[in-house]
Amino acid sequence: MTDQATTAEADTEEIPGKPISASRTTLSHIMTHSDTNLLGTVHGGVIMKLVDDAAGAVAGRHSGGPAVTASMDEMAFLEPVRVGDLVHVKAQVNWTGRTSMEVGVRVLAERWNESTPPTQVGSAYLVFAAVDADGKPRRVPPVIPETDRDRRRNQEAQIRRTHRLTRRRAIMELRAKRAAEGFDD
């Protein structure tokens, strides 16, 4: 059997789905002075790295192997994070395609020495592509929403995917049009 035939067979095999709870995770980190920006609050890039780390762990768990960040959508910083905050980054798979998945992330912060409830300080949506040892895309299991909230997140993720694809197509069409008109940009 050829490699192409083997790949075609693997693409048509049914992969059992996984429930969202199987890969959901929380990463917690206490913020220190080394995490601050010039304003004395935690640098947005530090939060973004934690978001990517948690989302990557979820994507790898769900897909059963390596997954790479393909895009980050809608990173929203809702409140500043301060030195001494205990930050919790909660991530879960919201939607899966053939080789990609959207991971939703909520960022919460609480004072390390107080017993007040955490406050949501950020959120993001990331798209990961599952890859094999050669860096080639590989199939991912379908995600199985378990709650009404999971089902809503899954539907919203499908809307975001449609918007990403529409935006990409429009940009590529514009670039092709400009190239045909002789613009080299």
Side-chain angles (χ1 to χ4, degrees), residues 7 65-68 129-139:
T7 301
V68 296
V131 294
D132 64 17
D134 297 320
K136 303 260 190 282
R138 63 182 175 80
R139 299 259 325 264

Side-chain angles (χ1 to χ4, degrees), residues 8-69:
E9 281 180 20
D11 281 350
T12 58
E13 287 179 25
E14 188 64 32
I15 298 175
K18 285 188 178 178
I20 286 176
S21 62
S23 58
R24 185 180 286 138
T25 194
T26 300
L27 178 138
S28 296
H29 187 79
I30 193 157
M31 298 291 111
T32 66
H33 286 286
S34 65
D35 299 318
T36 60
N37 58 27
L38 296 174
L39 299 175
T41 57
V42 173
H43 195 289
V46 170
I47 301 298
M48 290 174 74
K49 177 157 182 1
L50 294 173
V51 164
D52 192 44
D53 287 347
V58 166
R61 281 181 174 184
H62 182 81
S63 68
V68 296
T69 311

Side-chain angles (χ1 to χ4, degrees), residues 47-163:
I47 301 298
M48 290 174 74
K49 177 157 182 1
L50 294 173
V51 164
D52 192 44
D53 287 347
V58 166
R61 281 181 174 184
H62 182 81
S63 68
V68 296
T69 311
S71 70
M72 178 183 270
D73 289 353
E74 302 177 36
M75 180 71 211
F77 298 99
L78 306 172
E79 297 284 336
V81 176
R82 302 172 295 163
V83 169
D85 281 353
L86 182 57
V87 171
H88 308 286
V89 183
K90 297 177 176 282
Q92 73 174 45
V93 173
N94 290 334
W95 170 89
T96 54
R98 195 174 70 77
T99 62
S100 64
M101 60 208 111
E102 182 194 271
V103 178
V105 180
R106 285 183 3 164
V107 183
L108 306 163
E110 61 182 308
R111 295 306 294 166
W112 69 273
N113 60 348
E114 297 175 7
S115 59
T116 56
T119 302
Q120 184 170 352
V121 296
S123 65
Y125 300 101
L126 296 87
V127 176
F128 279 80
V131 294
D132 64 17
D134 297 320
K136 303 260 190 282
R138 63 182 175 80
R139 299 259 325 264
V140 299
V143 68
I144 302 169
E146 300 168 279
T147 66
D148 286 339
R149 178 181 279 184
D150 291 344
R151 285 183 276 284
R152 175 188 55 79
R153 287 179 176 164
N154 182 271
Q155 290 170 335
E156 291 172 358
Q158 291 177 53
I159 293 168
R160 283 187 293 275
R161 179 178 186 273
T162 299
H163 288 198

